[in-house]
Amino acid sequence: MSDYNENSIWPSFHKDQGQDVECDWYPAEEAPIEVRGLAFFHENKKYYRYPENPPEPLTPGIIGNAKGPSGGQLCFSANASLIKVRVEFTKVPLMTYNVPPLAAMGLDVYVSKGEGKYAMCGVSCFNVGNDRYETVPVYWGTPRKLDYIINLPIRAEIKRIWIGIPKGEEILPPPPLENKSRILIYGGSIMHGYCATRPGMTMPNILSRRLKREVINLGVSGAAKCEREAALAVRMVDNVSILIISAEGNCPSVEHIYEHLPEFIRLFREVYPDIPIVLMSYMREGREYLKTGYTKERRAKKDCLIRITNEFREAGDKNIHFWDGEEFTEGEEDIVFEGFSAGEDCTVDTQHKSDLGFWLMANGMMRRMRELEF
């Protein structure tokens, strides 16, 4: 008779080592740990992605989504034999069918030996639904001097986080960023990070690792409608070197885009008159086979973005650019199998991106960024 027990197989496969090691605990909000990717962290003292006191009230959709710290990172170095993490949540997110628990309320850990190239080496292990957990995502056995990035959850509202380092071992500041100017991203659920399997696989976090720069993720699922109040909040982010806007999926119509997006751009330009602004259209998706008229609708919105880009350029703003999301997969036709497009196989639910989708998107965006040389 089999001794298989579906309730115990997960803990037996993924039991944390080093749970009994005594540690000194360091609040993630304090030095030598640096919180990156959250533009208003030092103002809010919270893991909240938008300003708490914007010029005009934000919509409930933006406020609710901004409570999940997608794109936030804890950065430090350590000469340590293991890393512990203790996290408390203000609110545990309702689990949905298309967002894995590890992405919704988990953490993943990347390490570098000091050369700046980071590799994923651990994730948090926890019981889904609890409002706190303690985990040992990284266990080396003997001290190693490494640089760390811990990526924060996509959805869960975090109250406090502590990093545990074994007593007698050392935690240090992270290496400084080579380029301290920020990449700013505004958009809907895909920019937010739906539906990566874990936090480090969202497109903003992939870009941040590759470019060794801070990426500010202001994606808000379902709530990025390019309203005036959103523009006034987005432009409050300081030290921005490029703004990428990909919000067409949250805008109900071409008419809505044309009514709101130009004003969004004009308001942003009042603070940042010269930096590149990119209007990025959606990638091809599998649901185009399922939803009658979707391809026509998507391409009509894309044409609207091209029209807006051209109108600004003709009016003298030469640093507004259009990136065609279709291009991000057209060159990857063989990535699945001969003749099949990755664009039709890179989503979780026919719409939101899988890890493959975010990987392809990041590849395409990096190619276009090199052209801008910002």
Side-chain angles (χ1 to χ4, degrees):
M1 185 173 179
S2 173
D3 60 357
Y4 168 80
N5 182 331
E6 64 180 10
N7 294 318
S8 65
I9 191 168
W10 173 262
S12 68
F13 280 172
H14 297 276
K15 183 176 176 60
D16 283 348
Q17 291 180 282
Q19 290 174 316
D20 298 330
V21 175
E22 284 194 50
C23 288
D24 292 320
W25 290 93
Y26 300 85
E29 301 85 7
E30 299 177 8
I33 301 165
E34 289 186 15
V35 178
R36 295 176 181 168
L38 300 177
F40 305 101
F41 181 79
H42 296 292
E43 170 195 327
N44 297 337
K45 304 300 181 185
K46 295 178 181 178
Y47 295 91
Y48 179 71
R49 290 185 291 131
Y50 272 70
E52 281 201 309
N53 298 296
E56 295 182 8
L58 298 171
T59 64
I62 292 177
I63 293 170
N65 279 287
K67 293 177 181 177
S70 186
Q73 301 173 339
L74 307 181
C75 303
F76 60 94
S77 299
N79 188 7
S81 55
L82 61 81
I83 302 294
K84 287 189 181 183
V85 181
R86 182 183 293 162
V87 57
E88 294 182 4
F89 300 105
T90 303
K91 183 179 180 181
V92 176
L94 177 68
M95 293 299 163
T96 59
Y97 75 96
N98 57 355
V99 180
L102 184 55
M105 58 183 296
L107 312 160
D108 58 18
V109 182
Y110 282 73
V111 300
S112 171
K113 295 179 181 178
E115 76 285 5
K117 182 178 180 180
Y118 284 83
M120 199 280 281
C121 69
V123 298
S124 54
C125 183
F126 57 93
N127 292 320
V128 176
N130 289 355
D131 65 358
R132 66 193 64 203
Y133 62 78
E134 184 177 309
T135 184
V136 188
V138 175
Y139 179 83
W140 305 116
T142 56
R144 297 184 184 183
K145 173 64 171 65
L146 297 166
D147 303 324
Y148 289 87
I149 296 174
I150 297 180
N151 296 296
L152 300 181
I154 292 173
R155 296 183 61 215
E157 298 177 26
I158 291 176
K159 184 178 181 181
R160 294 291 303 277
I161 307 180
W162 295 264
I163 303 299
I165 303 294
K167 289 185 177 296
E169 297 178 3
E170 189 176 24
I171 187 169
L172 302 162
L177 293 169
E178 296 176 9
N179 188 329
K180 293 187 177 181
S181 67
R182 292 160 151 177
I183 298 168
L184 178 56
I185 293 173
Y186 171 78
S189 53
I190 294 173
M191 298 297 102
H192 189 145
Y194 287 63
C195 297
T197 56
R198 52 184 175 80
M201 286 308 298
T202 66
M203 181 276 295
N205 279 333
I206 294 173
L207 281 184
S208 177
R209 285 194 303 277
R210 291 184 183 179
L211 298 175
K212 303 179 184 66
R213 294 175 67 171
E214 195 174 14
V215 177
I216 305 299
N217 180 1
L218 296 186
V220 281
S221 177
K225 302 184 189 301
C226 302
E227 308 98 325
R228 169 186 170 85
E229 59 268 30
L232 296 175
V234 169
R235 73 182 193 176
M236 291 175 68
V237 178
D238 62 9
N239 200 24
V240 176
S241 58
I242 185 172
L243 169 65
I244 300 169
I245 302 172
S246 183
E248 68 182 63
N250 287 180
C251 295
S253 65
V254 169
E255 292 74 22
H256 180 98
I257 295 173
Y258 197 71
E259 179 182 354
H260 291 86
L261 182 54
E263 178 66 10
F264 188 103
I265 294 168
R266 283 191 285 269
L267 289 170
F268 188 82
R269 276 287 185 237
E270 290 178 358
V271 176
Y272 287 100
D274 301 317
I275 70 168
I277 295 176
V278 172
L279 308 186
M280 188 172 81
S281 67
Y282 273 22
M283 295 164 63
R284 271 187 310 127
E285 300 169 350
R287 62 176 169 164
E288 304 198 18
Y289 287 114
L290 306 173
K291 184 178 177 182
T292 303
Y294 175 73
T295 300
K296 182 178 180 181
E297 175 188 341
R298 177 177 62 77
R299 289 184 172 169
K301 289 182 175 180
K302 181 175 83 169
D303 289 343
C304 182
L305 298 182
I306 295 171
R307 176 184 174 186
I308 292 170
T309 301
N310 290 338
E311 288 179 354
F312 271 92
R313 293 181 71 86
E314 289 167 5
D317 190 336
K318 302 301 184 183
N319 218 1
I320 290 188
H321 309 271
F322 171 75
W323 291 353
D324 187 347
E326 288 189 79
E327 295 177 359
F328 297 171
T329 52
E330 289 294 338
E332 309 280 353
E333 290 285 343
D334 61 346
I335 198 162
V336 179
F337 193 66
E338 297 174 4
F340 289 87
S341 168
E344 293 150 9
D345 206 33
C346 69
T347 70
V348 168
D349 52 10
T350 77
Q351 177 181 3
H352 297 99
K353 297 295 174 275
S354 65
D355 292 355
L356 171 61
F358 284 127
W359 183 264
L360 294 173
M361 185 183 295
N363 290 350
M365 292 174 71
M366 287 188 65
R367 286 195 293 267
R368 300 304 299 269
M369 284 182 179
R370 291 191 187 103
E371 295 171 7
L372 293 181
E373 298 180 348
F374 68 97

